[in-house]
Each structure stands twice: as structure tokens, then as C-alpha cells.
Amino acid sequence: MTPKSTFSTRFSSALWLLVIFILAGCIAEKSEIGNSVDSTRLNQAENKSDSPKKNTVTAPKNIIVFIGDGMGVSTVTAGRIFIGQEKGLMGEEYELSFDKFPQLALVKTYNTNAQVPDSAGTATAILSGYKTNIGAINVKPDADVAKMVVSSCVAKSAPPTLLERAKKTGRSVGVISTARITHATPAAVYGQAVDRSWETMADIDPQAVKLGCKSLSHQLLENTPDITLGGGAQKFTPEQLTDWQEKTGHIYVSDAQSFRSAPKDQTLLGLFTPSHMSYEADRDETKEPSLAEMTDVTIDALAARGRGYVMMVEAGRIDHAHHGTNAYRALKDLQAFDDAIAAAVENAGDDTLILVTADHSHVFTMAGYPKRGNPILGLVRTPDPRGEGAGLDPALAADGKPYTTLGYHNGPNVREADSPALTDNMVQAPDFLQQTAVNLSSETHAGEDVALYAYGPGSRRFSGVMDQDEIGQILADLIGE
Ligand SMILES: [Zn+2]
């Protein structure tokens, strides 16, 4: 055996050892993968036994449903960065209050007759547990919408509302919205209407009036939650409100100061603005309470009643700012929503289930290749590895002009060839309206799934891909009529 062959034998032995080590490593790794598959299966099995139809988990005493109207996933991501940057961070790493919730699901939002839904049909699904036509609130769907309009005042044909379910179990009820309180989402807690526009008697189809249909404002005063806070005083006549107070002894307030001093152990209705409440960006603290304040006060007031409670809190104006393609106000309202959820997590007890979801998405996009920490409302500046000074100029589109990270697929602001080039000052101004692609007078909802975040007892029942009406069915089960 030559030294060379000895070396080669030794080398090949070492090589074999190496091969054995690698193989052993692979096997070990494989078994680790095997373990992780097994544990995933275990989790799946656990989730299966915890199926939406079975009440196998501890039922919560209290339930708070937070609905960010129009808060699609792109809004959540952009809002997270927006808030992070307001706090002096780069933004992307920031965590919203509900980013920390342990349970997550994706929710299919379509209405029975619409691929891209509206808030009436989706709120019916979330709160009452069945899908219905676009524009209908707590009324069973019918292919013949015209027939629904003239024959649906038979209230008994619809399943109970969330308010009715909660009251039946002795629980207190709270409804909070930054929109008009007779608007589709809050109305779906307490009312029924074939057409979401039936906010006052004057809005109702004359044929339906003959059938005895009542406006949503009438229905609210007949089925009043314990605490009701929002906008929309103009949908009630002064006589309606006076009669209601005289007959019931309940309390009505119309400004923040009277709200703050009103006794909270009585039935309380607060309507702070004629129509929707102000966008958070424009809110006057002395006239309108914040969404977080309304949430916090209502949790205390309902908890003090001691019977358990069901609450719905809507950030109604994220949707409105998106319809107007004003990303700044949409994200400021998401910030106010996040504050309200943080207040609930802090203040509600361990026996409270908290859900955060959206009714539907918007055609709101976050795109281009902006560098890390680029102002979320700003012009796109790309990360550029080529060195000093690179990336200081905005990226240019094919027309030679800068563009923003945030935009909308449709809406009123299509930029024409002769539109002036966008500047940093223009796009970061609060009133800037984002660029759109398809020219529509109002930006529209979007049809992709939305996220649902859950925390507290019963939260494990919300996971995977869910149809939106399953949310309402699980709520009904957890409330336990
Ligand atoms: Zn909308």
C-alpha cells in the first residue's frame, strides 16, 4: 500500500464518515419534519373536535365584535406602517393591538346575489349568521329583490337579531359606530330592512309603509340597546326623541360633555353629529368622544350591570375615506380603531371574547418597490445598493413621473397625461386623493377574503377559511339562547 493509497483510503473513509453524518443529519431532520407534521395534525384534530357546530369550549360571558368597515388586509398592513411611522419607527415592524391575537381566520365575504358585497349583507352574516342579498339588513334573501321589498315586513320570517339573542339570555347590549347609528352595520345589530336606505319613514317605499314597515330609526327606539353611541341625529325627528325619552325615561345626549356626565347605569343613547361622526383626523375632542373612549366607557357601564354583555363596535369611516380615495383619513381611522381595540383588551375581563374583522375589503393597493421605512403615504423611492445618494430621487413610471405606494384600482382620480408631476408635499398632505386606474365616481369595495382575529374564551372556534355567516352562527351558539 503506497502512502498515496493509504491517504486515499483514509480520505475515502473520512468521506464515508461524512456521508454517514450527513445521512444521519438528514434522517434526524426528516424525523423533526415528521414531528412537526404530527403536531400540526394534532392541532388540526383538536380544531376539528372544536368545530363551529359544537359548543365544546368555555363559553364567554361577554362578547365584543369589532368591525373595521372596509378594513381589507392591505388597509391593515398600510395602517400598521402608518401608526409605526407616527411613533418614529420604520413602520413595518410595528404591531397593531390585534396583530397579537392568537386565532386567525380568512373570511369569504360574498353576498347571496353579489360577488363583491356591501355592508348590509355582510353585517347580517357576521352578526345574525346567514348570508343575504346586497343592501338587505336581517331579511332572508330572495332571488326576486322586488318581491322582498313589498313582502318582507313580516318580521317573524327573519331569525332573531343579535340584540334579541343577547337580551333573551339576560345580557346587556352595546352598539357603537362612527357612522350614523341607522347605517347598515350598526343597524344589523338591532333592526331589519329590505333596503338599507330605510333609515327614516320618508325613505321607505310607500308600498312597504302600507305593509307596516318601520324605519331603522323607529326600530332602534323600539329595541334599544343599553348603550348606543354614534352619529346620525338627523335620522330621528326631535318629536321622536322627546316621545322616546318621556315614555321610557331613558337618556339622550348629543355632545361629548353631556355624554361624559350622563349616568351610565341607565339606558343611554348618544348621537353626536347630524350624520356620520367626524373622521378621526378632523374630530373635535370637546364635541365628539373618540372610538376608544366610547368603547372604554361602554365596557365599564355594561360590565357594571353584571349580567354579561354583547357589544358591536364599528369603525365606520375607514370605508368612507376609501370610497373617496383619501388614504390618510382611512389610516387615521384605523389608528383610532386600533386604540379602541387596545382599550378593550386592557379593560375587558378574561371572560370576554374579542373578535376583530372587516365586513369587506376595498380596491386599495400597496405597491411599487418602496424601500424599508419609506413614508407610507409618500412617493416610491426604491432600495438601491449602488451606494451613497442612490434612491434619493423618486422612482419614475413609464410617463417619466413619480408615483405613490398607495393607490386604488378604481375611483375618481385617474391621472391624465397632462396632470402635473406629483411631489412629496402634494402626496403627504392630509387631503391628497390617491391615484386610481379605472374612472368611477366613487371607489368600490373589493371581493377578496378579509381577516378575522380572535382572542379570549371561544376564540379557537374561529380558524381556517370561513364563510362569513359561520361567524354569526358561532356567536349565536356561544351566546346560547
Ligand atoms: Zn362602503
Side-chain angles (χ1 to χ4, degrees):
M1 200 179 273
T2 63
K4 201 181 170 187
S5 70
T6 308
F7 172 79
S8 99
T9 310
R10 281 189 188 151
F11 178 76
S12 69
S13 305
L15 204 67
W16 273 113
L17 269 175
L18 191 68
V19 168
I20 288 164
F21 273 122
I22 290 170
L23 276 174
C26 282
I27 290 162
E29 201 180 349
K30 215 173 178 184
S31 76
E32 270 172 33
I33 292 167
N35 283 342
S36 79
V37 167
D38 284 344
S39 62
T40 307
R41 282 197 185 135
L42 266 178
N43 287 337
Q44 279 171 352
E46 273 181 32
N47 283 338
K48 252 186 186 159
S49 71
D50 197 15
S51 83
K53 301 291 165 200
K54 279 191 193 168
N55 195 356
T56 55
V57 290
T58 323
K61 183 178 180 191
N62 315 309
I63 295 173
I64 309 177
V65 182
F66 282 96
I67 301 178
D69 200 314
M71 190 186 69
V73 171
S74 57
T75 304
V76 174
T77 308
R80 177 192 295 138
I81 296 170
F82 175 82
I83 299 169
Q85 291 184 344
E86 288 225 324
K87 292 182 186 296
L89 305 168
M90 294 187 95
E92 298 83 1
E93 72 281 30
Y94 184 70
E95 283 188 315
L96 298 164
S97 56
F98 51 98
D99 279 342
K100 297 163 192 153
F101 284 15
Q103 287 298 120
L104 182 69
L106 278 181
V107 180
K108 294 155 72 174
T109 64
Y110 65 94
N111 294 148
T112 43
N113 62 346
Q115 201 167 52
V116 175
D118 91 316
S119 297
T122 54
T124 301
I126 296 169
L127 302 171
S128 301
Y130 59 99
K131 283 184 184 262
T132 188
N133 286 358
I134 193 165
I137 298 171
N138 287 335
V139 176
K140 282 281 189 180
D142 194 308
D144 183 351
V145 177
K147 197 173 127 206
M148 281 173 72
V149 173
V150 295
S151 65
S152 63
C153 279
V154 188
K156 289 181 188 77
S157 68
T161 61
L162 187 69
L163 177 132
E164 288 165 339
R165 285 188 200 281
K167 293 259 174 194
K168 218 170 167 183
T169 61
R171 284 180 171 87
S172 309
V173 177
V175 180
I176 300 172
S177 177
T178 49
R180 289 193 300 270
I181 209 68
T182 48
H183 212 238
T185 310
V189 177
Y190 61 83
Q192 287 176 283
V194 167
D195 184 335
R196 57 181 286 171
S197 72
W198 291 1
E199 292 178 72
T200 72
M201 289 308 286
D203 300 321
I204 304 183
D205 185 295
Q207 274 181 292
V209 175
K210 275 187 209 152
L211 285 170
C213 289
K214 287 189 177 162
S215 70
L216 290 161
S217 63
H218 275 81
Q219 292 182 55
L220 176 69
L221 298 183
E222 282 172 10
N223 305 304
T224 316
D226 297 74
I227 307 275
T228 311
L229 304 170
Q234 71 186 12
K235 297 296 177 187
F236 299 78
T237 63
E239 299 75 53
Q240 236 183 317
L241 290 168
T242 312
D243 281 0
W244 175 75
Q245 288 176 90
E246 280 172 4
K247 271 185 205 151
T248 61
H250 298 333
I251 298 170
Y252 170 64
V253 295
S254 57
D255 64 85
Q257 297 309 336
S258 346
F259 163 62
R260 288 175 187 136
S261 55
K264 309 295 187 305
D265 57 351
Q266 296 178 44
T267 298
L268 175 67
L269 169 65
L271 300 174
F272 303 104
T273 44
S275 184
H276 304 304
M277 290 180 73
S278 301
Y279 288 112
E280 179 61 18
D282 311 315
R283 187 173 60 84
D284 178 344
E285 178 74 21
T286 63
K287 293 183 180 145
E288 301 171 53
S290 68
L291 194 58
E293 182 183 355
M294 293 192 285
T295 302
D296 216 23
V297 167
T298 304
I299 288 173
D300 284 344
L302 298 182
R305 284 161 166 79
R307 308 191 299 266
Y309 60 83
V310 175
M311 249 173 94
M312 194 289 296
V313 182
E314 186 204 23
R317 308 221 66 196
I318 296 171
D319 178 72
H320 301 157
H322 275 330
H323 280 303
T325 68
N326 182 208
Y328 173 74
R329 282 184 174 74
L331 301 184
K332 270 309 253 190
D333 270 48
L334 181 135
Q335 185 174 25
F337 188 49
D338 186 45
D339 288 344
I341 297 159
V345 170
E346 179 76 23
N347 196 6
D350 291 343
D351 47 5
T352 306
L353 168 67
I354 301 179
L355 300 184
V356 176
T357 191
D359 45 359
H360 55 75
S361 184
H362 269 269
V363 293
F364 178 59
T365 57
M366 180 183 155
Y369 294 104
K371 63 185 178 185
R372 179 77 198 280
N374 200 53
I376 189 66
L377 294 164
L379 298 171
V380 170
R381 285 178 167 78
T382 57
D384 193 327
R386 284 171 304 178
E388 244 175 83
L392 286 179
D393 292 328
L396 301 179
D399 63 0
K401 293 176 182 171
Y403 53 93
T404 53
T405 304
L406 301 179
Y408 292 88
H409 172 63
N410 60 39
N413 308 304
V414 173
R415 292 191 72 76
E416 307 297 344
D418 56 355
S419 300
L422 296 174
T423 65
D424 290 308
N425 285 344
M426 281 165 76
V427 303
Q428 294 196 43
D431 293 336
F432 179 70
L433 304 181
Q434 263 66 28
Q435 189 170 349
T436 66
V438 178
N439 194 353
L440 294 183
S441 60
S442 174
E443 181 265 6
T444 72
H445 299 170
E448 79 273 7
D449 298 353
V450 295
L452 178 146
Y453 311 77
Y455 168 73
S459 61
R460 292 192 58 202
R461 297 182 69 181
F462 301 88
S463 69
V465 177
M466 302 176 70
D467 243 314
Q468 200 163 36
D469 52 336
E470 287 179 67
I471 302 171
Q473 289 159 23
I474 298 170
L475 286 180
D477 198 20
L478 291 173
I479 289 169
E481 317 147 66

